[in-house]
Amino acid sequence: MDEIRNYTMNFGPQHPAAHGVLRLILEMDGEVVMRADPHIGLLHRGTEKLAESKPFNQSIGYMDRLDYVSMMCNEHAYVRAIERLVGIEAPQRAQYIRTLFDEITRILNHLMWIGSNALDLGAMAVFLYAFREREELMDCYEGVSGARMHATYYRPGGVYRDLPERMPNYHESPWHKGADLKRLNQWRQGSMLDFLDAFSEDFPHKVDEYEELLTNNRIWKQRTVGIGVVSPEQARAWGMSGPMLRGSGIAWDLRKKQPYAAYADVDFDIPVGVNGDCYDRYLVRVAEMRQSNRIIRQCIEWLRRNPGPVLLESHKIIPPHRADMKEDMEALIHHFKLFTEGYSVPAGEVYSAVEAPKGEFGVYMISDGANKPFRVKLRAPGFVHLSSIDEIVRGHMLADVVAMIGTYDVVFGEIDR
């Protein structure tokens, strides 16, 4: 009788509009995975080398395009690295605005995750529900920066500008008219803080709707309970962070353990899982959305009470005001010099990390005193997590690999860099 051998199959490459261009080579015994070999590099853009070839201030926009679902959190790590090298700190109001938008970004990320992961496992409706709330928060990105995704809103020394006093309104169109138009614009009659106040009051009810569709859904639990179990020891050994680590019961969160921005002054809890499976990581992310909403409400309250500057008045790294440029030729020259040549940063090295929605996103930067970094190395949580896929999916069925890739919440901009 002929010996029965395992066979190999390609899983991917996937379309870049999905989780990214991942190619898995799976060694299968029937429908059971014996080995998984992830192949990356199909989306490589050389971000780190590009950042080393440009002045410091020209690479903030590259950070948005790494994990393109966690845009402002990436910016935060990068501008904090520059601030620490220069020896400056953003004004307190800017720190609260950064905290506010980091948490808006966390909700945006988890909404995309819950929608796409549910879609991967066969649930269609959640995707449409989640994008309903994403649209509202994308308007906040657009309100402060003019861009709905790649905001480039954070700056060394603060943020680009203060929160707008007016939110954009929907105009009548074939898609929005009458009572529907009135409902859409109901929250948009005041400032951005008024809008976020109304949104954050309503959002917990929306999370209840997602949970009603999934949390006790028999099919959802069959696809996620006991699947992709990561023990606390494995999570530590692989260097996991974020929901992947907290889902295994380890309460590690940089916002609590190494506070930055205004996180030391706001009150929130760290959700943790028990079993370390796909279902626990789902519960952790849902709970994180509720905690982010809680932080947003505290930031709104503080920002209402405390006006003030949102950007340092240091013309070494901050461009002069537009009014000054109209009257002062020296200010105009300084403006052009700053945006073409940039500014020199004192020699030194620094590692700056933030608790991004997917885990610890870090920027290791070396300056040799020039106007561009000597070395930039990015620590992407998705890269670390994907490294463990062979160990985690062995012995699972082929369909469980889909659930596992979904629970990693990978985005290939940061993995391939």
Side-chain angles (χ1 to χ4, degrees):
M1 183 178 177
D2 291 340
E3 182 185 353
I4 299 174
R5 291 199 177 100
N6 294 341
Y7 64 94
T8 58
M9 66 176 288
N10 271 319
F11 185 99
Q14 304 295 353
H15 189 277
H19 297 295
V21 192
L22 168 66
R23 179 192 181 204
L24 277 179
I25 298 176
L26 300 177
E27 186 179 318
M28 308 290 295
D29 179 5
E31 208 172 329
V32 177
V33 179
M34 307 306 291
R35 184 169 176 271
D37 183 12
H39 282 221
I40 64 172
L42 299 162
L43 190 70
H44 181 57
R45 293 180 287 193
T47 303
E48 291 159 335
K49 283 298 163 197
L50 282 167
E52 291 166 18
S53 70
K54 289 178 168 45
F56 286 91
N57 57 343
Q58 290 186 15
S59 293
I60 300 171
Y62 279 123
M63 300 301 120
D64 291 304
R65 291 158 174 81
L66 287 163
D67 176 359
Y68 37 78
V69 197
S70 309
M71 299 72 71
M72 287 200 200
C73 290
N74 302 341
E75 291 177 29
H76 201 166
Y78 182 76
V79 300
R80 280 187 72 230
I82 297 171
E83 285 172 351
R84 287 169 64 185
L85 284 170
V86 176
I88 59 173
E89 193 155 326
Q92 194 175 13
R93 184 172 174 83
Q95 300 285 18
Y96 268 89
I97 291 174
R98 286 179 179 182
T99 305
L100 173 75
F101 270 94
D102 276 14
E103 296 310 310
I104 287 173
T105 304
R106 195 175 314 280
I107 291 175
L108 282 170
N109 182 96
H110 289 349
L111 287 174
M112 169 65 87
W113 174 82
I114 199 171
S116 61
N117 194 24
L119 200 60
D120 287 347
L121 300 185
M124 181 79 183
V126 190
F127 188 82
L128 303 174
Y129 277 52
F131 265 68
R132 176 187 59 191
E133 277 67 68
R134 263 180 71 86
E135 280 302 302
E136 303 280 16
L137 292 178
M138 282 294 189
D139 287 349
C140 294
Y141 259 55
E142 189 176 0
V144 294
S145 71
R148 291 176 69 76
M149 281 187 68
H150 304 312
T152 323
Y153 176 54
Y154 293 3
R155 296 284 189 278
V159 294
Y160 166 58
R161 65 173 183 173
D162 209 339
L163 303 179
E165 286 301 314
R166 213 173 147 66
M167 280 295 285
N169 276 240
Y170 283 97
H171 297 292
E172 188 165 345
S173 71
W175 301 276
H176 304 307
K177 51 188 171 185
D180 180 48
L181 184 67
K182 190 176 178 184
R183 178 185 60 79
L184 287 169
N185 286 331
Q186 186 180 352
W187 295 348
R188 298 165 183 272
Q189 302 311 305
S191 67
M192 181 174 286
L193 286 176
D194 295 331
F195 174 82
L196 283 169
D197 201 10
F199 176 89
S200 59
E201 195 173 328
D202 180 64
F203 185 62
H205 306 299
K206 303 300 187 190
V207 181
D208 292 342
E209 290 180 7
Y210 313 147
E211 289 218 65
E212 194 175 334
L213 287 166
L214 292 180
T215 302
N216 293 314
N217 183 305
R218 181 167 54 91
I219 302 170
W220 178 254
K221 291 181 79 169
Q222 284 172 342
R223 293 299 307 272
T224 55
V225 173
I227 303 300
V229 175
V230 180
S231 69
E233 295 73 29
Q234 283 176 312
R236 284 197 191 95
W238 281 104
M240 291 180 178
S241 56
M244 289 296 299
L245 182 67
R246 294 190 285 273
S248 298
I250 300 173
W252 177 264
D253 189 314
L254 291 180
R255 296 172 296 170
K256 285 277 193 189
K257 305 298 184 183
Q258 299 169 13
Y260 55 94
Y263 283 111
D265 303 319
V266 293
D267 186 37
F268 64 100
D269 299 319
I270 305 175
V272 292
V274 179
N275 302 312
D277 55 12
C278 289
Y279 187 69
D280 268 17
R281 290 187 285 274
Y282 154 76
L283 293 175
V284 163
R285 287 183 172 107
V286 169
E288 280 189 10
M289 285 196 279
R290 296 187 189 276
Q291 293 302 319
S292 291
N293 197 66
R294 186 176 160 195
I295 294 170
I296 286 169
R297 290 195 67 78
Q298 293 171 67
C299 289
I300 292 167
E301 190 181 329
W302 190 94
L303 288 164
R304 284 194 194 281
R305 294 196 317 264
N306 297 275
V310 296
L311 200 57
L312 290 179
E313 288 290 333
S314 164
H315 290 309
K316 173 180 164 55
I317 61 169
I318 305 300
H321 295 293
R322 191 176 292 269
D324 296 340
M325 287 190 286
K326 290 179 178 176
E327 298 174 4
D328 185 354
M329 180 57 75
E330 194 176 322
L332 185 63
I333 292 168
H334 177 62
H335 169 87
F336 284 113
K337 187 175 170 61
L338 195 64
F339 280 98
T340 53
E341 294 181 21
Y343 41 81
S344 296
V345 168
E349 62 180 302
V350 68
Y351 176 72
S352 166
V354 299
E355 187 65 40
K358 294 173 172 56
E360 181 181 330
F361 179 83
V363 176
Y364 173 65
M365 186 182 288
I366 301 175
S367 170
D368 58 1
N371 67 334
K372 55 188 73 168
F374 175 75
R375 182 79 176 95
V376 173
K377 178 73 175 76
L378 302 167
R379 194 268 183 205
F383 180 83
V384 177
H385 297 155
L386 189 64
S387 308
S388 68
I389 195 164
D390 177 41
E391 183 176 333
I392 306 302
V393 302
R394 284 191 184 196
H396 283 70
M397 306 289 276
L398 177 61
D400 299 331
V401 177
V402 180
M404 200 60 216
I405 291 172
T407 200
Y408 278 144
D409 193 12
V410 291
V411 162
F412 267 74
E414 69 167 15
I415 291 172
D416 281 347
R417 296 195 288 288

